[in-house]
Amino acid sequence: MSTDAIVLLKEDHKEVRRLFREFEGAEWNATEVKADLVSRIVEALTVHTYIENEVMYPAVREHVPALEQDVLESYEEHHVADLLCAELDVMTPDDERFDAKTTVLIETVGHHIEEEENDWFPKVRDALGRNKELQEIGARMLEARATAPHRPAHPSSFKKAAEALLR
């Protein structure tokens, strides 16, 4: 298995997109299916945003300073996703806004994934190549994944967004 940080993040993106498609394809009244899918989406995004916020973004800020604004924007996008995940985590499909909130999460995260994969991942790859640095970042991400929160009770994006504002 590759420990290249970009490869690992793209694998996460692929899984999240698959869960999104399943939710979008669910029947409008499939409440149990939707509840399970949203629970899995919330968990996947909570872990993913944690490892990006704690490992990938600080490394990109250090090694590719030209992407500073992109990273700050990504922290904010994670903050929004984390807020939506926290709200969805305590909702049920019977809640009036459950589907709408999930749709907004899907749209927000979809936009974020597209920006990362089409804009700044290529810039990181150009700056760092396929060298040891991205392997080391990926290894640290795997370590962080092992201890990452799985529910949004402790989203790191709140802390990271505040730190970015205070700099």
Side-chain angles (χ1 to χ4, degrees):
M1 179 171 123
S2 173
T3 60
D4 181 286
I6 292 173
V7 171
L8 293 173
L9 294 174
K10 283 184 173 184
E11 288 172 1
D12 281 0
H13 290 171
K14 184 178 177 181
E15 175 62 14
V16 167
R17 282 187 182 116
R18 185 187 65 73
L19 291 169
F20 288 170
R21 283 190 307 276
E22 284 187 41
F23 182 88
E24 292 170 330
E27 296 293 325
W28 69 271
N29 60 348
T31 57
E32 287 182 32
V33 170
K34 287 181 175 183
D36 176 62
L37 285 168
V38 168
S39 178
R40 291 166 48 205
I41 288 167
V42 166
E43 180 174 354
L45 289 175
T46 300
V47 172
H48 180 78
T49 60
Y50 178 84
I51 66 172
E52 276 192 326
N53 288 345
E54 296 300 316
V55 181
M56 183 65 170
Y57 293 171
V60 169
R61 288 178 89 177
E62 178 184 342
H63 297 293
V64 193
L67 292 178
E68 176 78 12
Q69 286 301 63
D70 295 287
V71 172
L72 293 175
E73 182 180 326
S74 291
Y75 278 136
E76 295 306 319
E77 289 171 346
H78 280 190
H79 176 70
V80 171
D82 286 343
L83 289 172
L84 292 168
C85 284
E87 292 172 1
L88 282 165
D89 201 42
V90 297
M91 294 175 78
T92 67
D94 296 330
D95 288 311
E96 176 182 64
R97 295 183 348 197
F98 183 84
D99 283 4
K101 193 172 296 289
T102 304
T103 298
V104 170
L105 177 66
I106 290 169
E107 290 170 352
T108 301
V109 172
H111 167 78
H112 173 77
I113 289 171
E114 290 301 315
E115 279 188 339
E116 280 189 343
E117 290 189 359
N118 296 327
D119 185 34
W120 74 269
F121 282 0
K123 291 175 183 174
V124 171
R125 178 72 71 207
D126 287 346
L128 300 179
R130 294 191 180 274
N131 69 12
K132 183 177 163 189
E133 190 61 44
L134 280 173
Q135 298 293 324
E136 290 173 0
I137 294 167
R140 290 196 311 268
M141 286 172 28
L142 290 173
E143 289 173 11
R145 183 184 304 274
T147 60
H150 287 247
R151 303 310 309 167
H154 306 288
S156 65
S157 71
F158 298 141
K159 178 181 165 207
K160 293 295 182 183
E163 287 172 357
L165 285 172
L166 298 174
R167 284 183 181 231

